[in-house]
Amino acid sequence: MKLFALFLICLPAMVVAQSREVDPDDLRLTIEIEELPAQPFQQEMILLTIHGVYQRHITQEKLEQPDLTGINWMQLGEDHWFESRLNGKTVKNMRRRIALFPETSGKLEIGAFQHHLTLLDEENKWFEHTIRSQPITFDVIPVPQTKQWWFPVRRLEIQDSWSNAPDQLLPGEGVLRIIRVSALGARPDMIPPMPELTSPSALIFPHPEKRLVDLTARGPEAVAFWRWTIKPRNDVSTILEPIEFSYFDTATRKSEKAVISAQRVAYLPDETDQPAQVAQDAPAQLRPGLLIICGLVSFLVSIAVLVGKDREFSGVWLRRLFEKYTLLYRLRRGVRQNDLSTVRRLAQSLDHQNIPDDVRATLLSKLDIHIYGRTQQVFDLKEFYLRFRRSIH
């Protein structure tokens, strides 16, 4: 009896809630532009929030966006649905965030967003209803007169990394340089073009740049990877010239200059040129790796003797064979230690010593993407080693 009485009390409210007559206060849709420290320039990011509040049960919905003439835009993730309290009642909310990048200056208008809703009437039948937001306008300033690349950002981060120590290269070895430019509040195409890396005495091989974008609650974060392989022309060292580019800090409203300092690239001194050092009664220690290499030397010498019966013995052939198996041993040790930079360096050395192979090229490309790209895929280093080892002849 008490439950029936409670049902009778709630019935009028339920009937009103599921009526074909829609109270405008029950369904509201607004759009709002974030406050900026000053009027925005062209291409400067502006965050737009679309917010809906719904006191009716919704069975289906579709948000229609107006034509944003003169504005480039990016939606920051999926629509966010959540509940809140309004006048003591639980109501549904929808929030969508969009990053706007004005392409033209002057007064721009954002037209009305339309939210097409499917509601229920008194008989639990569906009917369509549309709510609209009010249009808003804002002013945009033209790009300042400058000969520099126009690059407005909220935050800029630069990372300069190397595949191995650039001033400790082995004779004849090259090094891979990767500069990562991360810009919050920018699209990937807004980052300046990959600069030309210069040096008075170095061989420089540029790689195709990579550009990505990460959608965050604070706006899109564009990322560019600039990559070069560098090798000194001489047997000693070389200097890479600094890299500079300008950008506009939208927080401080000032033009700034990013400078990546000069870098020395050098070979390690040849150990044969160093004076010999006399050991000071140090206790003898046998390392497992040394034992393996010694055994390998004995094995190779035996092969050389057998080969010498049929053809003239070649010291160059023996040295190359020894270098190959030494590199393979070090590569396997790097895989066990999960040392990606060492694995990449040794794999590149082995690849250069062998005839070009499509399988090795594909494996090295996947390794580079795993190390320097932003991928979430699992990379099996042991499988890489096994397939790479089979491609070495």
Side-chain angles (χ1 to χ4, degrees):
M1 188 68 180
K2 291 182 179 180
L3 290 176
F4 182 74
L6 181 61
F7 174 79
L8 292 178
I9 294 173
C10 297
L11 183 60
M14 295 171 59
V15 171
V16 172
Q18 297 188 123
S19 169
R20 281 187 175 267
E21 296 182 5
V22 179
D23 188 338
D25 292 334
D26 287 347
L27 303 168
R28 297 199 306 269
L29 187 66
T30 60
I31 57 176
E32 181 181 2
I33 287 180
E34 68 168 342
E35 285 191 32
L36 296 173
Q39 281 190 332
F41 285 105
Q42 286 176 252
Q43 298 185 16
E44 181 179 346
M45 184 185 72
I46 304 169
L47 291 178
L48 176 72
T49 301
I50 303 98
H51 185 200
V53 181
Y54 314 95
Q55 301 185 58
R56 294 283 299 259
H57 179 71
I58 300 171
T59 57
Q60 292 181 351
E61 58 86 30
K62 180 181 179 182
L63 184 61
E64 181 181 347
Q65 182 172 299
D67 183 20
L68 300 176
T69 305
I71 302 174
N72 207 325
W73 59 274
M74 299 177 72
Q75 183 172 329
L76 304 178
E78 302 286 339
D79 294 344
H80 176 49
W81 287 84
F82 60 98
E83 292 184 346
S84 67
R85 302 285 294 180
L86 179 65
N87 299 327
K89 298 179 181 179
T90 300
V91 296
K92 291 283 186 181
N93 292 257
M94 183 279 301
R95 181 175 290 127
R96 176 183 292 185
R97 298 267 282 175
I98 296 178
L100 306 177
F101 298 91
E103 297 296 325
T104 60
S105 60
K107 187 177 291 294
L108 300 182
E109 180 181 79
I110 299 177
F113 281 75
Q114 301 185 69
H115 207 172
H116 304 290
L117 307 173
T118 302
L119 307 177
L120 292 174
D121 63 9
E122 300 90 336
E123 299 178 355
N124 283 335
K125 293 182 178 180
W126 292 6
F127 69 97
E128 306 299 324
H129 185 78
T130 299
I131 58 176
R132 297 172 177 82
S133 66
Q134 294 295 322
I136 59 175
T137 60
F138 59 97
D139 294 317
V140 177
I141 305 174
V143 173
Q145 295 295 327
T146 176
K147 295 182 180 180
Q148 304 294 327
W149 183 272
W150 176 241
F151 183 29
V153 296
R154 296 199 174 185
R155 189 192 67 227
L156 183 69
E157 293 182 354
I158 299 175
Q159 297 176 1
D160 190 6
S161 58
W162 302 78
S163 59
N164 44 311
D167 57 349
Q168 299 179 28
L169 301 181
L170 298 176
E173 188 179 30
V175 63
L176 178 67
R177 185 184 195 181
I178 308 101
I179 293 179
R180 181 182 185 272
V181 180
S182 174
L184 178 64
R187 304 187 311 269
D189 61 287
M190 293 170 58
I191 297 177
M194 177 175 165
E196 181 181 1
L197 189 61
T198 59
S199 169
S201 58
L203 293 172
I204 301 175
F205 306 96
H207 298 271
E209 65 174 322
K210 296 181 180 180
R211 299 197 175 205
L212 311 168
V213 64
D214 184 19
L215 302 178
T216 74
R218 296 171 296 171
E221 184 175 3
V223 180
F225 292 93
W226 298 336
R227 302 175 298 156
W228 303 267
T229 296
I230 302 122
K231 183 178 180 181
R233 289 181 185 270
N234 53 43
D235 296 331
V236 184
S237 66
T238 187
I239 295 295
L240 300 177
E241 302 292 345
I243 299 173
E244 297 182 359
F245 63 88
S246 61
Y247 67 97
F248 180 76
D249 191 323
T250 61
T252 62
R253 316 304 295 177
K254 293 181 180 179
S255 293
E256 305 287 354
K257 181 176 290 186
V259 179
I260 305 170
S261 60
Q263 175 65 52
R264 178 174 178 265
V265 179
Y267 292 121
L268 286 172
D270 192 343
E271 294 181 359
T272 59
D273 297 335
Q274 301 298 322
Q277 297 181 357
V278 180
Q280 300 294 327
D281 298 331
Q285 294 182 356
L286 294 178
R287 297 172 60 185
L290 183 59
L291 290 175
I292 294 175
I293 293 177
C294 290
L296 181 60
V297 171
S298 301
F299 171 71
L300 294 176
V301 170
S302 301
I303 292 178
V305 172
L306 294 175
V307 171
K309 294 179 179 179
D310 300 323
R311 66 179 182 182
E312 184 181 355
F313 174 71
S314 171
V316 174
W317 172 82
L318 178 60
R319 177 172 57 82
R320 289 179 178 174
L321 193 61
F322 175 73
E323 288 179 353
K324 182 180 80 169
Y325 281 99
T326 301
L327 287 173
L328 285 171
Y329 166 74
R330 293 169 59 191
L331 177 65
R332 184 178 181 183
R333 185 173 61 184
V335 170
R336 287 178 175 176
Q337 296 174 350
N338 199 32
D339 188 345
L340 292 176
S341 62
T342 298
V343 169
R344 186 190 183 282
R345 175 169 55 83
L346 295 172
Q348 290 281 3
S349 298
L350 284 164
D351 182 56
H352 293 158
Q353 293 180 7
N354 283 263
I355 299 173
D357 183 86
D358 292 340
V359 173
R360 283 201 308 275
T362 301
L363 290 171
L364 290 171
S365 176
K366 290 181 179 180
L367 181 62
D368 281 349
I369 293 173
H370 175 68
I371 296 176
Y372 306 116
R374 184 174 287 191
T375 175
Q376 302 297 326
Q377 295 182 355
V378 177
F379 187 82
D380 191 336
L381 200 56
K382 292 183 180 179
E383 178 66 20
F384 167 85
Y385 169 76
L386 293 175
R387 295 184 61 192
F388 189 88
R389 176 65 182 85
R390 287 194 293 267
S391 69
I392 298 295
H393 304 292

